[in-house]
Amino acid sequence: MPDRLPETARHDAAGGPTSRRLFYYNAGFLTQPRIRRILDLAGHELRLGVPGPQDRIAVWGHSPYAARGEAMARQTGATLVRIEDAFLRSVHPGRDGEPPLGLVIDSRGMHYDPAQPSDLEVLLATHPLDDTALLDAARGAMARLAEADLSKYNAHDPQAPLPAPGYVLIIDQTRGDAAVTQGRADSNTFREMLFHATQDNPGARIVIKTHPETVAGHRAGYFDADTLALAPGADITLLSAPVSPRALLEGAVAVYTVSSQMGFEAILAGHRPHVFGQPFYAGWGLSEDFTPVTRRQRRLTRAQLFAAAMILYPVWYDPCRDRLCPLDEAISALEAQVRAWREDRHGWQASGMRLWKRGAINGFFGGVTPVRFRDGPGRDGRRAMVWAAKADTAPDGAVRVEDGFLRSRGLGADLVPPLSLVCDDLGIYYDPSRDSRLERMIAARAALRPDQAARARALMAALVARGLSKYNLGQDAPDLRALAAGRRVVLVPGQVEDDASIRLGAGDVRTNAALLAAARAGNPDAFVVYKPHPDVEAGLRPGALPEAEGIADLVVTGADPAALMSQVDAVWTMTSLLGFEALIRGRQVVTLGAPFYAGWGLTDHRGPALPRRQAHVTLEGLVHAALIDYPRYRDPVSGLPCPVEVAVERLSAGEVARGGLANRLLAKLQGVFAGHAHLWRRG
């Protein structure tokens, strides 16, 4: 798939201006660091002063301040570049102060101004748009946006009540918006649209969706009382609730718009919208156009329209890595931010949290409202959360919280803060006695789209190549193949015997001694390697097995789990996460307990029956559910919610949070009292 070139490179190739300098006369370019950064990464050097004919002048779309730059361009002969937000912007509108995720940088015009072709229109009219990789990427991205319920702005409430399906949807816009005025429309156009909607659909319910900025009081809309009076007797509802645009489109039988981006999203949702302005998506055979742009004669598919508008035209930015990125990485970044906002917007009340964990908990879940640490049910509309090990004392309906499967560089028992946490509103992944959110996610991933399978495979390859596991202790490992001298190598990971995953998920084999004995009995001729749990090795948790040396061929301490697994043929385990990590590395896994990864056809399962797990899931589906869908990740560098790929890069580079001096001293003290864990452990 062709990459989106930096703006200067694209114009140099076309024989245009070669200067990197981009002059501006709008204070927004000075005061908004995200916009300046994206432009810099795209090859532009923002300047104040007087440009020369080989320079460029930046203006913000057709804003009221654009006239200054337009006049200077006419005076100096410099090339005018119009800049606007890309079509996938942020959680909240820009007027709320949130920076954009991408920009469109157009040297011909602007996508909503049909007076002359924009860069986007030229792409739509002349680009072959027939590259298989490009169109596959477009289809995958369209499906991702639908599944994650993403739009240009995303502060909508998934629980907001929707009108009953079967309505005609009319999209309002803000009065005087450039997308209206430059699109050859005005208030009369909205009146005409209402008239046609009622005439085309006699007796139908009409739902008029108010623009978010109108709801926020920033700008008036076009559908006021006088306009609605032009349709006497019509069944009209003004909808101002923050509903999901995609859900609203799904319930509509017809969509009417002037030039709103929701018309574009309506096309992606399968509608053929009635368009009364001249937006970029009109004229390509995908809409009913009231005022056609006669020069647009080409017929496109939805995937081709999307590929040009969302992949080739914008410049996308990764706020965690501080770099330009392709659309799929921008979607991943926005998914993480939107998920955090949707889950955290009502605030949290947390119980059962040890003091040292509270900073990390607030970092993950306190981005909208600081987390309140107090026992009991949530108050003031807050949701209740509890550390999973303390769930027995939690209020009904509390969300259980636990470490994720890519946690840190260092042990949780050493009080090292986590890089990922999981939230489960049903149960918790290590308790097979009840349904969990992860179990449902795994079952739902029995069927994967090609883009999802590819993402999971890329993630597995990165984990293997970088040698990453849950704790990433950075230790060496012995040469097991040399020691085994040609025998089959079986790894037996020890566990913390009082851990909740053993108490709730083990079967008849419930101790490290019984596990090791079963592995030896099942592999009498193999080279059996026993690895104690890192917390036990560190003296922080009980579970030592002195007799292991009499059963195993080798007891390995202080070894890197990922390095060990690259040398073994099989892993025998009760519920250890090393079984999941072994699956990722293509190893046989025998499960004697009931971990989350058992029962899906991927392990040799010899533990308790798992009647709920009937789906046959691929390894890619399991990885997608467990590492992409289920956890929340927080980037320790930017402090932002982030996708798993950023977490993998931070773990690999060692750019992770570390416990402070007080935490390290407390961890050592815990080691001294490990045999009396009940005195100090609180979840």
PDB file of all heavy atoms in Angstrom, residues 261-278:
ATOM      1  N   GLN A 261     -20.246  15.836   7.600  1.00  0.00           N
ATOM      2  CA  GLN A 261     -19.433  14.626   7.494  1.00  0.00           C
ATOM      3  C   GLN A 261     -20.267  13.383   7.773  1.00  0.00           C
ATOM      4  O   GLN A 261     -19.919  12.282   7.337  1.00  0.00           O
ATOM      5  CB  GLN A 261     -18.240  14.670   8.448  1.00  0.00           C
ATOM      6  CG  GLN A 261     -17.329  13.459   8.252  1.00  0.00           C
ATOM      7  CD  GLN A 261     -16.111  13.469   9.135  1.00  0.00           C
ATOM      8  OE1 GLN A 261     -15.422  14.487   9.241  1.00  0.00           O
ATOM      9  NE2 GLN A 261     -15.821  12.348   9.784  1.00  0.00           N
ATOM     10  N   MET A 262     -21.386  13.543   8.493  1.00  0.00           N
ATOM     11  CA  MET A 262     -22.235  12.381   8.720  1.00  0.00           C
ATOM     12  C   MET A 262     -22.798  11.826   7.414  1.00  0.00           C
ATOM     13  O   MET A 262     -23.181  10.656   7.351  1.00  0.00           O
ATOM     14  CB  MET A 262     -23.368  12.710   9.691  1.00  0.00           C
ATOM     15  CG  MET A 262     -22.970  12.549  11.155  1.00  0.00           C
ATOM     16  SD  MET A 262     -24.368  12.602  12.279  1.00  0.00           S
ATOM     17  CE  MET A 262     -25.170  11.032  11.907  1.00  0.00           C
ATOM     18  N   GLY A 263     -22.845  12.637   6.356  1.00  0.00           N
ATOM     19  CA  GLY A 263     -23.224  12.104   5.054  1.00  0.00           C
ATOM     20  C   GLY A 263     -22.196  11.104   4.553  1.00  0.00           C
ATOM     21  O   GLY A 263     -22.545  10.060   3.984  1.00  0.00           O
ATOM     22  N   PHE A 264     -20.918  11.408   4.751  1.00  0.00           N
ATOM     23  CA  PHE A 264     -19.838  10.479   4.425  1.00  0.00           C
ATOM     24  C   PHE A 264     -19.968   9.205   5.251  1.00  0.00           C
ATOM     25  O   PHE A 264     -19.883   8.082   4.728  1.00  0.00           O
ATOM     26  CB  PHE A 264     -18.501  11.173   4.684  1.00  0.00           C
ATOM     27  CG  PHE A 264     -17.281  10.313   4.515  1.00  0.00           C
ATOM     28  CD1 PHE A 264     -17.083   9.559   3.366  1.00  0.00           C
ATOM     29  CD2 PHE A 264     -16.313  10.276   5.511  1.00  0.00           C
ATOM     30  CE1 PHE A 264     -15.942   8.780   3.209  1.00  0.00           C
ATOM     31  CE2 PHE A 264     -15.168   9.498   5.365  1.00  0.00           C
ATOM     32  CZ  PHE A 264     -14.986   8.746   4.217  1.00  0.00           C
ATOM     33  N   GLU A 265     -20.218   9.365   6.554  1.00  0.00           N
ATOM     34  CA  GLU A 265     -20.363   8.204   7.422  1.00  0.00           C
ATOM     35  C   GLU A 265     -21.617   7.408   7.064  1.00  0.00           C
ATOM     36  O   GLU A 265     -21.644   6.183   7.231  1.00  0.00           O
ATOM     37  CB  GLU A 265     -20.381   8.656   8.882  1.00  0.00           C
ATOM     38  CG  GLU A 265     -19.058   9.291   9.309  1.00  0.00           C
ATOM     39  CD  GLU A 265     -19.056   9.787  10.743  1.00  0.00           C
ATOM     40  OE1 GLU A 265     -20.010   9.477  11.485  1.00  0.00           O
ATOM     41  OE2 GLU A 265     -18.098  10.481  11.123  1.00  0.00           O
ATOM     42  N   ALA A 266     -22.646   8.090   6.558  1.00  0.00           N
ATOM     43  CA  ALA A 266     -23.846   7.384   6.106  1.00  0.00           C
ATOM     44  C   ALA A 266     -23.513   6.475   4.921  1.00  0.00           C
ATOM     45  O   ALA A 266     -23.993   5.338   4.832  1.00  0.00           O
ATOM     46  CB  ALA A 266     -24.937   8.382   5.726  1.00  0.00           C
ATOM     47  N   ILE A 267     -22.682   6.959   4.007  1.00  0.00           N
ATOM     48  CA  ILE A 267     -22.258   6.120   2.879  1.00  0.00           C
ATOM     49  C   ILE A 267     -21.508   4.902   3.386  1.00  0.00           C
ATOM     50  O   ILE A 267     -21.757   3.766   2.954  1.00  0.00           O
ATOM     51  CB  ILE A 267     -21.384   6.939   1.911  1.00  0.00           C
ATOM     52  CG1 ILE A 267     -22.233   8.000   1.195  1.00  0.00           C
ATOM     53  CG2 ILE A 267     -20.705   6.034   0.889  1.00  0.00           C
ATOM     54  CD1 ILE A 267     -21.426   8.965   0.347  1.00  0.00           C
ATOM     55  N   LEU A 268     -20.602   5.113   4.336  1.00  0.00           N
ATOM     56  CA  LEU A 268     -19.839   3.995   4.874  1.00  0.00           C
ATOM     57  C   LEU A 268     -20.743   2.999   5.592  1.00  0.00           C
ATOM     58  O   LEU A 268     -20.433   1.799   5.643  1.00  0.00           O
ATOM     59  CB  LEU A 268     -18.760   4.508   5.838  1.00  0.00           C
ATOM     60  CG  LEU A 268     -17.764   5.520   5.274  1.00  0.00           C
ATOM     61  CD1 LEU A 268     -16.713   5.861   6.309  1.00  0.00           C
ATOM     62  CD2 LEU A 268     -17.121   5.002   3.995  1.00  0.00           C
ATOM     63  N   ALA A 269     -21.863   3.485   6.153  1.00  0.00           N
ATOM     64  CA  ALA A 269     -22.797   2.609   6.854  1.00  0.00           C
ATOM     65  C   ALA A 269     -23.773   1.921   5.912  1.00  0.00           C
ATOM     66  O   ALA A 269     -24.642   1.175   6.363  1.00  0.00           O
ATOM     67  CB  ALA A 269     -23.569   3.411   7.906  1.00  0.00           C
ATOM     68  N   GLY A 270     -23.646   2.172   4.601  1.00  0.00           N
ATOM     69  CA  GLY A 270     -24.487   1.483   3.630  1.00  0.00           C
ATOM     70  C   GLY A 270     -25.643   2.293   3.089  1.00  0.00           C
ATOM     71  O   GLY A 270     -26.420   1.791   2.269  1.00  0.00           O
ATOM     72  N   HIS A 271     -25.788   3.542   3.495  1.00  0.00           N
ATOM     73  CA  HIS A 271     -26.861   4.397   2.983  1.00  0.00           C
ATOM     74  C   HIS A 271     -26.459   5.029   1.649  1.00  0.00           C
ATOM     75  O   HIS A 271     -25.272   5.085   1.290  1.00  0.00           O
ATOM     76  CB  HIS A 271     -27.169   5.517   3.985  1.00  0.00           C
ATOM     77  CG  HIS A 271     -27.935   5.069   5.183  1.00  0.00           C
ATOM     78  ND1 HIS A 271     -29.287   4.832   5.160  1.00  0.00           N
ATOM     79  CD2 HIS A 271     -27.525   4.816   6.457  1.00  0.00           C
ATOM     80  CE1 HIS A 271     -29.686   4.458   6.369  1.00  0.00           C
ATOM     81  NE2 HIS A 271     -28.635   4.435   7.176  1.00  0.00           N
ATOM     82  N   ARG A 272     -27.450   5.522   0.955  1.00  0.00           N
ATOM     83  CA  ARG A 272     -27.258   6.373  -0.213  1.00  0.00           C
ATOM     84  C   ARG A 272     -27.899   7.712   0.143  1.00  0.00           C
ATOM     85  O   ARG A 272     -29.074   7.964  -0.154  1.00  0.00           O
ATOM     86  CB  ARG A 272     -27.912   5.747  -1.447  1.00  0.00           C
ATOM     87  CG  ARG A 272     -27.615   6.458  -2.756  1.00  0.00           C
ATOM     88  CD  ARG A 272     -28.286   5.748  -3.937  1.00  0.00           C
ATOM     89  NE  ARG A 272     -28.052   6.464  -5.176  1.00  0.00           N
ATOM     90  CZ  ARG A 272     -26.979   6.293  -5.944  1.00  0.00           C
ATOM     91  NH1 ARG A 272     -26.047   5.411  -5.583  1.00  0.00           N
ATOM     92  NH2 ARG A 272     -26.823   6.980  -7.061  1.00  0.00           N
ATOM     93  N   PRO A 273     -27.165   8.603   0.816  1.00  0.00           N
ATOM     94  CA  PRO A 273     -27.771   9.811   1.362  1.00  0.00           C
ATOM     95  C   PRO A 273     -28.224  10.787   0.284  1.00  0.00           C
ATOM     96  O   PRO A 273     -27.664  10.842  -0.820  1.00  0.00           O
ATOM     97  CB  PRO A 273     -26.643  10.414   2.213  1.00  0.00           C
ATOM     98  CG  PRO A 273     -25.391   9.897   1.586  1.00  0.00           C
ATOM     99  CD  PRO A 273     -25.718   8.521   1.101  1.00  0.00           C
ATOM    100  N   HIS A 274     -29.243  11.562   0.634  1.00  0.00           N
ATOM    101  CA  HIS A 274     -29.710  12.666  -0.206  1.00  0.00           C
ATOM    102  C   HIS A 274     -28.891  13.892   0.190  1.00  0.00           C
ATOM    103  O   HIS A 274     -28.967  14.355   1.333  1.00  0.00           O
ATOM    104  CB  HIS A 274     -31.201  12.913   0.023  1.00  0.00           C
ATOM    105  CG  HIS A 274     -32.052  11.723  -0.315  1.00  0.00           C
ATOM    106  ND1 HIS A 274     -32.766  11.615  -1.491  1.00  0.00           N
ATOM    107  CD2 HIS A 274     -32.297  10.577   0.372  1.00  0.00           C
ATOM    108  CE1 HIS A 274     -33.418  10.468  -1.515  1.00  0.00           C
ATOM    109  NE2 HIS A 274     -33.145   9.816  -0.386  1.00  0.00           N
ATOM    110  N   VAL A 275     -28.131  14.429  -0.748  1.00  0.00           N
ATOM    111  CA  VAL A 275     -27.161  15.475  -0.453  1.00  0.00           C
ATOM    112  C   VAL A 275     -27.591  16.762  -1.146  1.00  0.00           C
ATOM    113  O   VAL A 275     -27.764  16.790  -2.362  1.00  0.00           O
ATOM    114  CB  VAL A 275     -25.747  15.061  -0.902  1.00  0.00           C
ATOM    115  CG1 VAL A 275     -24.748  16.163  -0.589  1.00  0.00           C
ATOM    116  CG2 VAL A 275     -25.343  13.755  -0.229  1.00  0.00           C
ATOM    117  N   PHE A 276     -27.713  17.849  -0.370  1.00  0.00           N
ATOM    118  CA  PHE A 276     -28.211  19.117  -0.897  1.00  0.00           C
ATOM    119  C   PHE A 276     -27.114  20.172  -1.036  1.00  0.00           C
ATOM    120  O   PHE A 276     -27.358  21.238  -1.576  1.00  0.00           O
ATOM    121  CB  PHE A 276     -29.357  19.627  -0.020  1.00  0.00           C
ATOM    122  CG  PHE A 276     -30.630  18.851  -0.213  1.00  0.00           C
ATOM    123  CD1 PHE A 276     -30.758  17.558   0.287  1.00  0.00           C
ATOM    124  CD2 PHE A 276     -31.676  19.388  -0.934  1.00  0.00           C
ATOM    125  CE1 PHE A 276     -31.915  16.826   0.080  1.00  0.00           C
ATOM    126  CE2 PHE A 276     -32.842  18.658  -1.147  1.00  0.00           C
ATOM    127  CZ  PHE A 276     -32.961  17.376  -0.641  1.00  0.00           C
ATOM    128  N   GLY A 277     -25.930  19.890  -0.524  1.00  0.00           N
ATOM    129  CA  GLY A 277     -24.783  20.757  -0.769  1.00  0.00           C
ATOM    130  C   GLY A 277     -23.861  20.098  -1.784  1.00  0.00           C
ATOM    131  O   GLY A 277     -24.297  19.280  -2.601  1.00  0.00           O
ATOM    132  N   GLN A 278     -22.577  20.448  -1.721  1.00  0.00           N
ATOM    133  CA  GLN A 278     -21.601  19.878  -2.646  1.00  0.00           C
ATOM    134  C   GLN A 278     -20.349  19.423  -1.885  1.00  0.00           C
ATOM    135  O   GLN A 278     -19.242  19.875  -2.152  1.00  0.00           O
ATOM    136  CB  GLN A 278     -21.247  20.891  -3.735  1.00  0.00           C
ATOM    137  CG  GLN A 278     -22.430  21.249  -4.629  1.00  0.00           C
ATOM    138  CD  GLN A 278     -22.064  22.235  -5.724  1.00  0.00           C
ATOM    139  OE1 GLN A 278     -21.233  23.115  -5.544  1.00  0.00           O
ATOM    140  NE2 GLN A 278     -22.694  22.092  -6.893  1.00  0.00           N
TER     141      GLN A 278
END
